[in-house]
Amino acid sequence: NAGVTQTPKFRILKIGQSMTLQCTQDMNHNYMYWYRQDPGMGLKLIYYSVGAGITDKGEVPNGYNVSRSTTEDFPLRLELAAPSQTSVYFCASTRPGEYQPQHFGDGTRLSIL
Amino acid sequence: DAKTTQPTSMDCAEGRAANLPCNHSTISGNEYVYWYRQIHSQGPQYIIHGLKNNETNEMASLIITEDRKSSTLILPHATLRDTAVYYCIAINSGGSNYKLTFGKGTLLTVNP
């Protein structure tokens, strides 16, 4: 059981480039999340989704876009990369039900130069 | 969600119990206490959660005081692989759609 898989693990982008961070889960979880974690800091929620076709903004959505065409996949798109988006990005998922824990991938380390 | 306070760092000898405290004096009656940890360069990992009763699973035990103003996470036999930052969070959510907000957490260093 792979859980939550994120690709790539590392990436360096130039300012203004675009890329998509991939996230897939094989646990049939309805809810999925994208967080970013800056060095020495906690998590900040970027976007989340409660099911296929449904997404919503978190705390820091500017500069990002998401889509959820299937239950398994929740890609995060950076359209015009900026140095402020240098961070570690984590995808998480959880199943319906009260107080279910979130399961995380191992992150994508993104540097924008 | 209630604010939680944890020590910045703790040390523990390998094989001994690690007891990590958390203060959540403003916790409300319907907020659960969750513990996650983050091993260096990995994603956060769920450990355990509870409301008011003590809880135990294969990873740890959670002891919540009767007034629910504090709790202790216990790793009964710490190993070197338990070295991580441990986060205590109070979450009010009747469903599973909730945002995780980590503070600074406690850096637990398990020494050989």
Side-chain angles (χ1 to χ4, degrees):
Chain A
N1 193 347
V4 178
T5 302
Q6 293 184 238
T7 56
K9 294 191 184 304
F10 305 93
R11 184 74 184 267
I12 298 174
L13 282 182
K14 294 182 179 178
I15 295 171
Q17 286 186 319
S18 302
M19 78 163 294
T20 299
L21 282 66
Q22 302 290 345
C23 175
T24 186
Q25 51 91 10
D26 61 359
M27 298 172 283
N28 202 32
H29 286 175
N30 287 51
Y31 298 156
M32 295 187 74
Y33 308 81
W34 274 106
Y35 295 90
R36 60 178 285 175
Q37 186 175 36
D38 298 331
M41 306 295 286
L43 300 174
K44 292 183 180 178
L45 182 65
I46 306 171
Y47 271 95
Y48 66 96
S49 169
V50 300
I54 306 170
T55 63
D56 210 343
K57 296 178 180 178
E59 299 174 82
V60 289
N62 291 343
Y64 307 94
N65 280 300
V66 294
S67 59
R68 185 93 182 272
S69 57
T70 67
T71 298
E72 296 78 18
D73 301 307
F74 190 40
L76 178 72
R77 177 90 178 153
L78 280 72
E79 290 294 349
L80 290 170
S84 61
Q85 294 176 304
T86 294
S87 191
V88 181
Y89 292 83
F90 290 105
C91 178
S93 71
T94 189
R95 61 184 174 94
E98 288 193 345
Y99 304 102
Q100 296 298 319
Q102 292 187 13
H103 299 264
F104 285 79
D106 280 336
T108 294
R109 283 149 187 82
L110 181 63
S111 293
I112 299 167
L113 305 175
Chain B
D1 297 337
K3 177 180 166 59
T4 61
T5 304
Q6 300 175 251
T8 303
S9 63
M10 295 182 65
D11 285 331
C12 177
E14 189 178 19
R16 304 298 291 267
N19 298 285
L20 290 88
C22 180
N23 182 289
H24 32 79
S25 58
T26 61
I27 196 168
S28 62
N30 54 358
E31 285 183 311
Y32 276 63
V33 178
Y34 277 74
W35 284 83
Y36 282 78
R37 73 180 182 183
Q38 191 168 19
I39 296 170
H40 182 62
S41 298
Q42 295 184 20
Q45 179 188 25
Y46 164 78
I47 302 172
I48 199 167
H49 74 279
L51 183 63
K52 51 186 173 182
N53 297 322
N54 298 337
E55 302 287 345
T56 295
N57 63 20
E58 65 278 3
M59 289 183 69
S61 295
L62 175 60
I63 308 298
I64 302 174
T65 57
E66 192 169 343
D67 63 8
R68 300 208 330 119
K69 293 186 177 183
S70 65
S71 61
T72 301
L73 178 75
I74 301 172
L75 308 178
H77 305 287
T79 71
L80 299 180
R81 286 176 291 183
D82 291 322
T83 293
V85 179
Y86 288 77
Y87 299 99
C88 166
I89 315 162
I91 296 174
N92 179 5
S93 172
S96 51
N97 184 24
Y98 59 88
K99 174 188 73 174
L100 280 177
T101 303
F102 288 171
K104 297 284 188 182
T106 296
L107 173 60
L108 174 69
T109 302
V110 180
N111 299 306

